[in-house]
Amino acid sequence: MPRQLPLYVHKEKSRHGKIVFYFRVGKEERIRLPDDPGSKNFKAAYTAALRGQKLEQDRSLAIPRSLRWLVKQYMESETWAALSVATRKQRGLFYQKVVELSGDIDCRLIRTKDIHKAVERRKATPALANNFLKALRALFKWAVEQDYVEDNPTAGVSKLTNQSDGFLVWTTDEIAKFINHWSIGSRERLAFELILASGLRRSDIVRVGKQHLTNETLRIKTRKTNTPVTVDFSDRLLKLIEVSETGDLALIVGKNGLPMTKESFGNWFGDACREAGVQKSAHGLRKFSATMAANAGATAHQLMAMFGWTTIEQAEIYTKKADRERLGRLSSRLVAEHFETEIAPHLDVGAGKNQKIKTKSKG
């Protein structure tokens, strides 16, 4: 027989088909309870609701429906567990600050204007403010799906305009400087060519090993977005790998022969760049790779597949710039062709400066 629910606890199915539990006495306000009736959190929330108390005495137990409680529920969900480690770390820091400042506010009372003010307070660092907004959007999107809140207060808040292009893209002169300084066979040259050929992030380039290669094809799932990436290496790059110093499970290793962390790799590669007279980064080289691919005619979806992006907007940053130049040149040729064939087809190239151009006579 199914377990009998405690007094005043009602089980309902949400509009998303999820089973939820509420505490309600008569026609008083409903109080949402945790999803597992057998958990300690459920018993604590039920006891507090039964006594008409708030759990303010014990800060480890969040008040039901408070922002602190909502963040806790989200960070215990399968949705949160499916995020990458890096994403959880970044968003977790944002949520920690929010909870410290406004943890006891009823999450149902948060409005769009509140989110807008929170973003505006961070306008001095637009990129950070936009990442903060992205974290809140994910939280409240999940809360709406769980029927914890009716509306997503982040829906009407726009991202801040960020004038910075972030990491600077390498130039062809800087590419030449690097390859002239670091010879074939060095770990620095191998790292450079692997990033350029694959477009992988630091967190993935440090994991790439021969186990990811089948003949000339590299297959790896990205750490940041958990997206599979498949790229082909040229014969030249495969030969470069053969003559370079590599590790057993990672192609790029430190002096001790062990794989690097993404942080140590970033510092090491940055030092290699400066030694070659280049003031750029590994991420700037990744952006150069994307720029080259776009200029060569790669579509937005092709770029997404190669660089592990999950939204087309990221790819269009590169394709739009490349397309504008290519389409602009094409359009100018069309204008010239139309003018020469339809409007002024009989240009007398031998005429002097003062000679009038003859056109078709009508009538």
Side-chain angles (χ1 to χ4, degrees):
M1 293 181 63
R3 178 189 297 175
Q4 187 174 358
L5 294 174
L7 185 65
Y8 304 126
V9 174
H10 307 275
K11 180 173 70 173
E12 298 180 11
K13 182 179 288 188
S14 73
R15 55 180 172 170
H16 300 288
K18 180 180 175 64
I19 300 299
V20 294
F21 299 92
Y22 290 98
F23 178 92
R24 189 178 192 182
V25 179
K27 295 184 178 180
E28 295 180 7
E29 180 185 5
R30 295 192 307 171
I31 299 174
R32 176 71 181 270
L33 299 173
D35 294 337
D36 182 5
S39 68
K40 292 182 179 179
N41 287 341
F42 185 96
K43 293 176 181 177
Y46 171 73
T47 301
L50 190 63
R51 295 175 180 174
Q53 297 175 343
K54 293 185 177 180
L55 303 180
E56 295 175 326
Q57 303 90 333
D58 186 354
R59 304 303 292 178
S60 66
L61 296 174
I63 303 168
R65 291 299 185 132
S66 67
L67 190 55
R68 186 192 312 276
W69 174 86
L70 182 66
V71 168
K72 187 174 185 296
Q73 302 304 309
Y74 178 50
M75 295 179 72
E76 291 177 352
S77 70
E78 293 182 1
T79 302
W80 175 262
L83 298 175
S84 69
V85 174
T87 299
R88 293 202 301 268
K89 181 178 179 181
Q90 182 192 62
R91 293 183 183 177
L93 292 174
F94 286 134
Y95 297 149
Q96 181 181 346
K97 292 293 184 183
V98 167
V99 167
E100 287 175 359
L101 293 173
S102 311
D104 293 335
I105 293 176
D106 191 322
C107 63
R108 296 167 296 184
L109 301 180
I110 297 174
R111 299 291 180 257
T112 298
K113 65 179 182 180
D114 301 319
I115 304 295
H116 180 75
K117 288 179 180 177
V119 173
E120 279 293 309
R121 285 196 295 271
R122 295 163 173 80
K123 65 181 180 181
T125 52
L128 187 69
N130 291 336
N131 284 331
F132 169 77
L133 176 60
K134 188 175 182 179
L136 291 186
R137 280 179 175 165
L139 172 66
F140 281 101
K141 178 179 180 292
W142 176 84
V144 170
E145 292 172 352
Q146 302 301 314
D147 281 336
Y148 291 144
V149 297
E150 291 186 4
D151 300 304
N152 187 337
T154 68
V157 181
S158 300
K159 294 196 298 183
L160 297 181
T161 301
N162 188 2
Q163 298 298 332
S164 171
D165 291 329
F167 293 94
L168 296 177
V169 182
W170 288 49
T171 66
T172 52
D173 287 342
E174 290 166 334
I175 296 290
K177 275 187 178 182
F178 193 96
I179 62 177
N180 287 333
H181 184 83
W182 295 107
S183 61
I184 288 176
S186 65
R187 293 181 300 125
E188 292 81 0
R189 181 63 173 270
L190 177 60
F192 169 87
E193 301 230 10
L194 282 174
I195 296 172
L196 192 61
S198 67
L200 289 173
R201 300 179 180 89
R202 292 178 305 159
S203 56
D204 299 316
I205 208 72
V206 296
R207 297 188 297 120
V208 170
K210 293 180 180 178
Q211 68 274 19
H212 296 110
L213 280 168
T214 304
N215 298 322
E216 76 279 4
T217 303
L218 170 74
R219 294 181 177 87
I220 192 170
K221 187 168 284 189
T222 62
R223 181 65 59 81
K224 182 176 181 180
T225 60
N226 200 35
T227 304
V229 166
T230 305
V231 296
D232 280 349
F233 284 171
S234 65
D235 290 339
R236 177 185 172 283
L237 181 55
L238 292 173
K239 290 177 182 177
L240 179 64
I241 293 172
E242 288 180 8
V243 301
S244 299
E245 179 185 351
T246 62
D248 294 329
L249 295 178
L251 295 180
I252 305 299
V253 292
K255 287 184 178 180
N256 56 5
L258 298 176
M260 300 182 185
T261 65
K262 70 172 185 178
E263 292 81 10
S264 61
F265 173 84
N267 294 332
W268 168 77
F269 190 77
D271 291 339
C273 292
R274 285 185 287 275
E275 187 173 330
V278 178
Q279 303 300 318
K280 295 291 173 65
S281 65
H283 196 82
L285 187 58
R286 168 177 157 89
K287 293 174 75 171
F288 180 86
S289 179
T291 301
M292 274 204 312
N295 289 339
T299 66
H301 284 93
Q302 286 173 328
L303 292 177
M304 289 173 67
M306 177 176 177
F307 293 92
W309 294 318
T310 55
T311 63
I312 199 168
E313 288 80 9
Q314 292 170 297
E316 286 179 340
I317 293 173
Y318 298 91
T319 57
K320 283 180 179 178
K321 184 176 181 180
D323 287 345
R324 284 181 70 87
E325 180 175 345
R326 186 164 53 248
L327 294 176
R329 295 176 65 186
L330 177 61
S331 298
S332 65
R333 294 188 190 121
L334 292 175
V335 170
E337 182 181 350
H338 180 74
F339 182 79
E340 292 170 7
T341 58
E342 299 294 331
I343 300 177
H346 303 301
L347 175 63
D348 186 353
V349 295
K353 286 183 179 180
N354 297 323
Q355 181 68 34
K356 292 183 178 179
I357 295 176
K358 297 178 182 180
T359 58
K360 290 182 181 180
S361 59
K362 296 181 181 179

